[in-house]
Short mmCIF file of all heavy atoms in Angstrom, two decimals:
data_model
loop_
_atom_site.label_atom_id
_atom_site.label_comp_id
_atom_site.label_asym_id
_atom_site.label_seq_id
_atom_site.Cartn_x
_atom_site.Cartn_y
_atom_site.Cartn_z
N HIS A 1 -4.42 -3.77 6.33
CA HIS A 1 -3.70 -4.73 5.49
C HIS A 1 -4.32 -4.79 4.09
O HIS A 1 -3.60 -4.90 3.08
CB HIS A 1 -3.71 -6.12 6.14
CG HIS A 1 -2.89 -6.19 7.38
ND1 HIS A 1 -2.89 -7.29 8.21
CD2 HIS A 1 -2.04 -5.31 7.93
CE1 HIS A 1 -2.07 -7.08 9.22
NE2 HIS A 1 -1.55 -5.88 9.08
N GLU A 2 -5.65 -4.74 4.02
CA GLU A 2 -6.33 -4.82 2.73
C GLU A 2 -6.02 -3.61 1.85
O GLU A 2 -5.84 -3.73 0.64
CB GLU A 2 -7.84 -4.96 2.93
CG GLU A 2 -8.28 -6.32 3.43
CD GLU A 2 -7.94 -7.43 2.44
OE1 GLU A 2 -8.34 -7.33 1.27
OE2 GLU A 2 -7.24 -8.38 2.83
N ILE A 3 -5.98 -2.41 2.43
CA ILE A 3 -5.62 -1.22 1.66
C ILE A 3 -4.22 -1.37 1.09
O ILE A 3 -3.97 -1.13 -0.10
CB ILE A 3 -5.72 0.04 2.54
CG1 ILE A 3 -7.18 0.33 2.92
CG2 ILE A 3 -5.12 1.25 1.82
CD1 ILE A 3 -7.35 1.42 3.96
N LEU A 4 -3.29 -1.79 1.94
CA LEU A 4 -1.90 -1.96 1.49
C LEU A 4 -1.80 -3.06 0.44
O LEU A 4 -1.02 -2.95 -0.51
CB LEU A 4 -1.00 -2.27 2.68
CG LEU A 4 -0.83 -1.13 3.70
CD1 LEU A 4 -0.09 -1.63 4.93
CD2 LEU A 4 -0.10 0.05 3.07
N ARG A 5 -2.59 -4.10 0.61
CA ARG A 5 -2.59 -5.20 -0.36
C ARG A 5 -3.09 -4.71 -1.72
O ARG A 5 -2.54 -5.06 -2.76
CB ARG A 5 -3.44 -6.36 0.15
CG ARG A 5 -3.37 -7.61 -0.75
CD ARG A 5 -4.12 -8.77 -0.12
NE ARG A 5 -3.43 -9.28 1.06
CZ ARG A 5 -3.88 -9.19 2.31
NH1 ARG A 5 -5.05 -8.60 2.55
NH2 ARG A 5 -3.20 -9.67 3.31
N GLY A 6 -4.14 -3.89 -1.72
CA GLY A 6 -4.65 -3.34 -2.97
C GLY A 6 -3.62 -2.47 -3.67
O GLY A 6 -3.45 -2.54 -4.89
N GLY A 7 -2.91 -1.64 -2.89
CA GLY A 7 -1.86 -0.81 -3.47
C GLY A 7 -0.74 -1.65 -4.05
O GLY A 7 -0.22 -1.36 -5.14
N TYR A 8 -0.38 -2.71 -3.33
CA TYR A 8 0.68 -3.60 -3.82
C TYR A 8 0.28 -4.26 -5.13
O TYR A 8 1.10 -4.40 -6.05
CB TYR A 8 0.99 -4.66 -2.77
CG TYR A 8 1.92 -5.75 -3.29
CD1 TYR A 8 3.29 -5.52 -3.36
CD2 TYR A 8 1.42 -6.97 -3.72
CE1 TYR A 8 4.14 -6.50 -3.86
CE2 TYR A 8 2.26 -7.94 -4.21
CZ TYR A 8 3.61 -7.71 -4.29
OH TYR A 8 4.44 -8.67 -4.80
N GLU A 9 -0.99 -4.67 -5.25
CA GLU A 9 -1.45 -5.33 -6.48
C GLU A 9 -1.24 -4.44 -7.69
O GLU A 9 -0.78 -4.90 -8.75
CB GLU A 9 -2.93 -5.69 -6.34
CG GLU A 9 -3.21 -6.86 -5.42
CD GLU A 9 -4.71 -7.12 -5.29
OE1 GLU A 9 -5.50 -6.36 -5.88
OE2 GLU A 9 -5.08 -8.09 -4.60
N LYS A 10 -1.60 -3.16 -7.57
CA LYS A 10 -1.46 -2.24 -8.70
C LYS A 10 0.01 -1.93 -8.98
O LYS A 10 0.43 -1.81 -10.13
CB LYS A 10 -2.24 -0.95 -8.45
CG LYS A 10 -3.70 -1.07 -8.79
CD LYS A 10 -3.89 -1.27 -10.29
CE LYS A 10 -5.04 -2.20 -10.58
NZ LYS A 10 -5.24 -2.42 -12.02
N ALA A 11 0.79 -1.80 -7.91
CA ALA A 11 2.22 -1.56 -8.09
C ALA A 11 2.87 -2.73 -8.82
O ALA A 11 3.66 -2.55 -9.75
CB ALA A 11 2.88 -1.32 -6.74
N TYR A 12 2.50 -3.93 -8.41
CA TYR A 12 3.05 -5.13 -9.05
C TYR A 12 2.67 -5.17 -10.52
O TYR A 12 3.50 -5.48 -11.39
CB TYR A 12 2.54 -6.38 -8.33
CG TYR A 12 3.09 -7.68 -8.88
CD1 TYR A 12 4.33 -8.15 -8.46
CD2 TYR A 12 2.37 -8.42 -9.82
CE1 TYR A 12 4.84 -9.35 -8.97
CE2 TYR A 12 2.87 -9.60 -10.32
CZ TYR A 12 4.11 -10.06 -9.90
OH TYR A 12 4.60 -11.23 -10.41
N GLU A 13 1.41 -4.86 -10.82
CA GLU A 13 0.95 -4.83 -12.21
C GLU A 13 1.74 -3.81 -13.03
O GLU A 13 2.02 -4.03 -14.21
CB GLU A 13 -0.54 -4.49 -12.26
CG GLU A 13 -1.14 -4.48 -13.65
CD GLU A 13 -2.59 -4.07 -13.65
OE1 GLU A 13 -3.27 -4.22 -12.61
OE2 GLU A 13 -3.08 -3.60 -14.70
N ALA A 14 2.11 -2.70 -12.39
CA ALA A 14 2.85 -1.64 -13.09
C ALA A 14 4.35 -1.92 -13.15
O ALA A 14 5.09 -1.16 -13.78
CB ALA A 14 2.61 -0.31 -12.38
N GLY A 15 4.80 -2.98 -12.50
CA GLY A 15 6.23 -3.26 -12.46
C GLY A 15 6.98 -2.38 -11.48
O GLY A 15 8.17 -2.12 -11.63
N VAL A 16 6.27 -1.95 -10.43
CA VAL A 16 6.83 -1.04 -9.43
C VAL A 16 7.11 -1.80 -8.14
O VAL A 16 6.30 -2.63 -7.71
CB VAL A 16 5.84 0.12 -9.15
CG1 VAL A 16 6.29 0.95 -7.97
CG2 VAL A 16 5.70 0.99 -10.39
N ILE A 17 8.23 -1.50 -7.52
CA ILE A 17 8.59 -2.09 -6.23
C ILE A 17 8.25 -1.10 -5.12
O ILE A 17 8.72 0.04 -5.14
CB ILE A 17 10.10 -2.42 -6.17
CG1 ILE A 17 10.48 -3.42 -7.27
CG2 ILE A 17 10.47 -2.98 -4.80
CD1 ILE A 17 11.97 -3.62 -7.42
N ILE A 18 7.40 -1.51 -4.17
CA ILE A 18 7.13 -0.69 -3.00
C ILE A 18 8.21 -0.97 -1.96
O ILE A 18 8.32 -2.08 -1.45
CB ILE A 18 5.73 -0.97 -2.43
CG1 ILE A 18 4.66 -0.54 -3.45
CG2 ILE A 18 5.53 -0.22 -1.11
CD1 ILE A 18 3.23 -0.74 -2.98
N THR A 19 9.02 0.04 -1.67
CA THR A 19 10.22 -0.17 -0.86
C THR A 19 10.04 0.22 0.61
O THR A 19 11.00 0.16 1.38
CB THR A 19 11.40 0.65 -1.44
OG1 THR A 19 11.02 2.03 -1.47
CG2 THR A 19 11.73 0.19 -2.84
N GLY A 20 8.83 0.62 0.99
CA GLY A 20 8.59 1.00 2.37
C GLY A 20 7.48 2.03 2.42
O GLY A 20 6.58 2.03 1.58
N GLY A 21 7.54 2.92 3.39
CA GLY A 21 6.53 3.95 3.48
C GLY A 21 6.46 4.56 4.86
O GLY A 21 7.35 4.35 5.70
N HIS A 22 5.39 5.31 5.12
CA HIS A 22 5.24 5.96 6.41
C HIS A 22 3.75 6.05 6.75
O HIS A 22 2.92 6.35 5.90
CB HIS A 22 5.84 7.37 6.39
CG HIS A 22 5.91 8.02 7.73
ND1 HIS A 22 6.65 7.51 8.77
CD2 HIS A 22 5.29 9.13 8.22
CE1 HIS A 22 6.52 8.29 9.84
NE2 HIS A 22 5.69 9.28 9.53
N THR A 23 3.43 5.77 8.00
CA THR A 23 2.05 5.78 8.48
C THR A 23 1.96 6.65 9.72
O THR A 23 2.81 6.57 10.60
CB THR A 23 1.58 4.35 8.82
OG1 THR A 23 1.72 3.53 7.68
CG2 THR A 23 0.13 4.35 9.26
N ILE A 24 0.90 7.49 9.79
CA ILE A 24 0.63 8.27 10.98
C ILE A 24 -0.84 8.10 11.35
O ILE A 24 -1.65 7.66 10.54
CB ILE A 24 0.97 9.76 10.81
CG1 ILE A 24 0.08 10.39 9.72
CG2 ILE A 24 2.43 9.95 10.50
CD1 ILE A 24 0.22 11.91 9.66
N GLU A 25 -1.17 8.49 12.56
CA GLU A 25 -2.56 8.40 13.02
C GLU A 25 -3.31 9.68 12.68
O GLU A 25 -2.77 10.79 12.79
CB GLU A 25 -2.58 8.17 14.53
CG GLU A 25 -3.94 7.80 15.08
CD GLU A 25 -3.89 7.46 16.55
OE1 GLU A 25 -3.42 6.35 16.88
OE2 GLU A 25 -4.29 8.31 17.36
N ASP A 26 -4.55 9.54 12.24
CA ASP A 26 -5.37 10.69 11.88
C ASP A 26 -6.83 10.32 12.16
O ASP A 26 -7.16 9.16 12.41
CB ASP A 26 -5.18 11.03 10.40
CG ASP A 26 -5.62 12.45 10.06
OD1 ASP A 26 -6.19 13.12 10.94
OD2 ASP A 26 -5.41 12.88 8.91
N THR A 27 -7.71 11.30 12.10
CA THR A 27 -9.13 11.03 12.35
C THR A 27 -9.78 10.28 11.19
O THR A 27 -10.79 9.61 11.36
CB THR A 27 -9.89 12.33 12.58
OG1 THR A 27 -9.69 13.21 11.46
CG2 THR A 27 -9.39 13.02 13.85
N GLU A 28 -9.19 10.38 9.99
CA GLU A 28 -9.75 9.74 8.80
C GLU A 28 -8.65 8.99 8.07
O GLU A 28 -7.55 9.52 7.92
CB GLU A 28 -10.36 10.80 7.87
CG GLU A 28 -11.06 10.22 6.65
CD GLU A 28 -11.69 11.32 5.79
OE1 GLU A 28 -11.18 12.44 5.80
OE2 GLU A 28 -12.68 11.03 5.11
#
């Protein structure tokens, strides 16, 4: 949640709307 929150903060500052996304499982 914190990673996504940080991304949202910068997007908001840039005037960008995050409309969704995709997540998969990985070792890192």
Side-chain angles (χ1 to χ4, degrees):
H1 291 172
E2 286 298 305
I3 292 171
L4 293 172
R5 186 174 290 112
Y8 171 80
E9 287 177 358
K10 277 294 144 181
Y12 182 84
E13 182 183 337
V16 171
I17 300 171
I18 295 181
T19 58
H22 189 63
T23 302
I24 63 171
E25 191 175 285
D26 199 353
T27 56
E28 184 178 28

